[in-house]
Amino acid sequence: MRMRRWFPSILCLPLLTGAAVTAEERAAPAPASAGAEARMRRDITFLASDECEGRGPGTRGIDKAADYIADQFRKAGLKPGGVDGSYFQPFTIKANVLDEPARLVLTGPKGQTIALKQGVQFWPMALGGSGNEKAPVVFAGYGITNEKTNYDDYANVEVDNRIVILIRGAPKGGDKDRSRELMKGAPFLNKIVNAEKHGAAAVLIVNDADTARDGDDLLDFNYTAFERGVGKLPVCHVRRSVLERMLGGAEALTTLEKDISRELKPHSRELPGWTANVSVKMHRGAIDVKNIVGVVEGAGPLANETVVVGAHYDHLGYGGSSSLSPVRKMAVHHGADDNGSGTTTMMELARRFAAMRDRQGRRLVFIAFSGEELGLYGSEYYCKHPLFSLKETASMFNLDMVGRLRSDKTSGKPKLLSEGCGTAKPFRELLDKLGEKHGFKMVNKPSGFGPSDHASFCSKEVPVLFLWTDYHDDYHRPSDTSDKINIEGMRRIADLSQEAILTLARMDKPEYIKVKSDPGSPMKYEGPTLGIRPSYDDEEEGLLIGSVVEGRPAAKAGLKADDRIVSIDGKPIKNIQTYMTILGGRKKGDTIEIGLIRNGKKQTVKVKLE
Ligand SMILES: [Zn+2]
């Protein structure tokens, strides 16, 4: 009888059984809500604090967050579900790794030697390569060559085997079309590749005046460590004062910048007497990350089966390529909603389930995933190395961005988005019922291939459910902070989730259904399309375009056959599967940013979906 106690029709039963029934086991945990909200506020405030450093893989902050989550699991009484009796499932993510501190020594016209300090006056950039170069320094403006606008910072200056020093960004003057053209040369990688093309030996980059306005901050090595850099030259981000010194004063640099922008003419020139010796040693290695796994056992005939309750706890750290911040500066991307909120809700659920006595049904495996933002790495790793058989995993329940519950304009009810209700027969009805009971306006999407960790399980044919509360203006920006979280809303989502998970743990094992619109049947794919035909026999990472349909968004945005799509809105595209997954999560009318490689050069293109 206890198994189905939560059904409204037999809700009276637990009341009759007296003291053995815990408050948590009842479907409505309303009396505990104040306590729950206080706990959730505490958790999300910590996870989104400066101390956790935006939970970027490779930071100490993400390890603090991991310890915190493991500690909450331990305090709640969850069994360690990781390796060697721990709560952790370690794995690695490929990244560029610095072998030793880089060196940058300048020699001036009077023979003066200036040894710059890594981390103070310069940082090597992971986007570049290794090398030890000693050569005269040449100022090459913004390092941009743009045929369409007839602008070339390299036109009247010899840089062969020289070290070029460049300004970040692009000249700001001129009409819109012209500045948009010039901006194409602004990304670091484009500057590096262009310098390489012109025969430079190494690249030094200083912030432009705008970026430096409230502090001439440097990007550290790790900022770009996860990009698959194609630059071969050693590259350093150096302070403006270094270039100012070579030019003969602070004013000389600002004047130069202004002149270039006003005239839209390069002012590149030699810096007589100045040489630099730059030495960077790095390799393509890996950094250690970990999933956190805690287990609450079930009881009865289903106790050997599993339901996974997941939420990724990593975020963007100090920024990097997935940041949507208008200024690319090192800034803690707090990730309160993304995904401090899901992690917090998952931990709250772990506490509630751990407190239940003799819960009949499947084992619940709570997992905080890492590496989601860099490409669903943690969930993918778990699915390749499951700690509990995936065959015996009945379903996966994912929470990612559940902290911004807002009212729906038409119904006035708080709007909760779900995905995956098409991956098993009973899911749709379950969500509608629970949504109604908890007063949500549910927006249910059948596909289980949305852009979060449930997609990894869905591709292993595990039925999935995913809840979230939609995008917002702080998404992937430093301003996604805990004070903007709707704590009460998050608690309400936890209440609904609790009932959903109880059901998932007790229902007949749901049979996985392949949703029509999912990858594998692209003819019936209902999401927005770019109008490209992928090259299917391609083996490399990314999505190689076979052909482009005239008049469709891709063609309009200038994409061509043989372009390799490597990211959408900063999320890595590894293959057609991730491409469909991520594009399927976007709507017609959205503008997406596609990262692509053309002729070995990385660039980004904005595409309006239709
Ligand atoms: Zn995110």
Side-chain angles (χ1 to χ4, degrees), residues 312 314-316 338-339 372-373 400-401 475-476 571:
H312 77 88
D314 64 296
H315 192 54
L316 306 179
D338 186 10
N339 183 27
E372 191 269 354
E373 300 284 11
D400 188 356
M401 292 173 61
Y475 173 68
H476 279 203
K571 296 237 180 204

Side-chain angles (χ1 to χ4, degrees), residues 447 449 512-527 529 536 576-577 580:
S447 171
F449 279 106
Y512 175 78
I513 299 173
K514 201 177 184 87
V515 174
K516 277 189 203 143
S517 64
D518 281 343
S521 45
M523 297 301 288
K524 284 175 186 164
Y525 171 78
E526 283 159 4
T529 57
Y536 280 102
I576 181 142
Q577 202 88 355
M580 303 278 270

Side-chain angles (χ1 to χ4, degrees), residues 140-147 151-155 159-160 164 166 182 184-203 230-233 235 600-602:
Y142 289 89
I144 293 174
T145 303
N146 184 281
E147 282 166 22
Y151 179 95
D152 186 4
D153 280 311
Y154 290 97
V159 300
D160 200 38
V164 291
L166 312 173
L182 291 176
K184 288 182 185 168
F188 289 122
L189 204 54
N190 298 12
K191 292 189 188 222
I192 297 166
V193 172
N194 198 29
E196 214 171 282
K197 247 198 221 159
H198 286 88
V203 182
V230 297
K232 292 186 198 83
L233 309 177
V235 181
K601 231 172 117 175
K602 195 168 172 185

Side-chain angles (χ1 to χ4, degrees), residues 191-488:
K191 292 189 188 222
I192 297 166
V193 172
N194 198 29
E196 214 171 282
K197 247 198 221 159
H198 286 88
V203 182
L204 308 177
I205 301 176
V206 301
N207 285 326
D208 55 301
D210 269 4
T211 306
R213 195 183 301 143
D214 55 349
D216 184 24
D217 303 338
L218 300 175
L219 301 174
D220 71 11
F221 181 82
N222 285 331
Y223 192 88
T224 52
F226 294 100
E227 303 203 18
R228 288 182 297 154
V230 297
K232 292 186 198 83
L233 309 177
V235 181
C236 294
H237 192 200
V238 302
R239 284 223 198 271
R240 282 171 69 86
S241 58
V242 172
L243 178 54
E244 287 166 358
R245 194 156 180 180
M246 294 177 178
L247 289 167
E251 239 153 74
L253 176 54
T254 15
T255 311
L256 257 179
E257 277 185 87
K258 278 187 192 146
D259 287 350
I260 298 172
S261 283
R262 198 185 54 238
E263 302 162 19
L264 280 177
K265 257 189 7 219
H267 281 250
S268 305
R269 60 176 168 101
E270 286 176 20
L271 297 164
W274 285 99
T275 60
N277 182 358
V278 51
S279 162
V280 180
K281 247 182 121 179
M282 63 179 180
H283 71 280
R284 190 72 178 157
I287 60 133
D288 296 316
V289 284
K290 55 202 174 195
N291 296 329
I292 304 134
V293 189
V295 180
V296 176
E297 294 293 355
L302 297 177
N304 277 328
E305 291 181 6
T306 297
V307 171
V308 171
V309 181
H312 77 88
Y313 72 102
D314 64 296
H315 192 54
L316 306 179
Y318 287 93
S321 65
S322 295
S323 170
L324 296 175
S325 170
V327 196
R328 290 293 160 97
K329 276 196 159 195
M330 298 264 296
V332 173
H333 284 53
H334 296 87
D337 185 35
D338 186 10
N339 183 27
S341 64
T343 309
T344 292
T345 307
M346 184 269 291
M347 288 192 288
E348 172 63 15
L349 289 163
R351 287 184 197 110
R352 293 184 187 184
F353 280 102
M356 294 178 192
R357 297 278 154 259
D358 303 323
R359 179 185 55 83
Q360 296 292 304
R362 299 182 173 92
R363 162 195 310 117
L364 301 179
V365 176
F366 293 88
I367 311 179
F369 293 108
S370 190
E372 191 269 354
E373 300 284 11
L374 293 167
L376 312 185
Y377 287 115
S379 50
E380 200 170 80
Y381 184 85
Y382 179 89
C383 286
K384 271 190 196 147
H385 309 272
L387 295 161
F388 298 90
S389 149
L390 281 187
K391 269 213 176 79
E392 305 281 289
T393 297
S395 50
M396 191 270 182
F397 187 87
N398 187 30
L399 295 153
D400 188 356
M401 292 173 61
V402 290
R404 297 287 191 114
L405 191 68
R406 285 153 287 176
S407 313
D408 172 56
K409 279 195 191 88
T410 44
S411 69
K413 288 182 181 175
K415 189 171 80 176
L416 184 57
L417 312 184
S418 92
E419 294 184 20
C421 69
T423 61
K425 219 171 180 184
F427 284 4
R428 179 72 197 248
E429 201 193 326
L430 170 68
L431 284 176
D432 283 341
K433 241 189 211 165
L434 290 178
E436 168 120 27
K437 179 177 169 195
H438 287 261
F440 290 109
K441 152 96 183 159
M442 297 298 299
V443 180
N444 300 320
K445 218 172 119 180
S447 171
F449 279 106
S452 185
D453 293 308
H454 56 287
S456 302
F457 287 81
C458 196
S459 61
K460 292 283 182 187
E461 309 206 326
V462 174
V464 295
L465 275 180
F466 164 51
L467 297 184
W468 68 305
T469 51
D470 216 340
Y471 292 111
H472 45 79
D473 290 345
D474 301 304
Y475 173 68
H476 279 203
R477 291 182 171 85
S479 53
D480 177 8
T481 48
S482 56
D483 55 303
K484 294 178 184 149
I485 294 296
N486 179 350
I487 303 275
E488 192 216 345

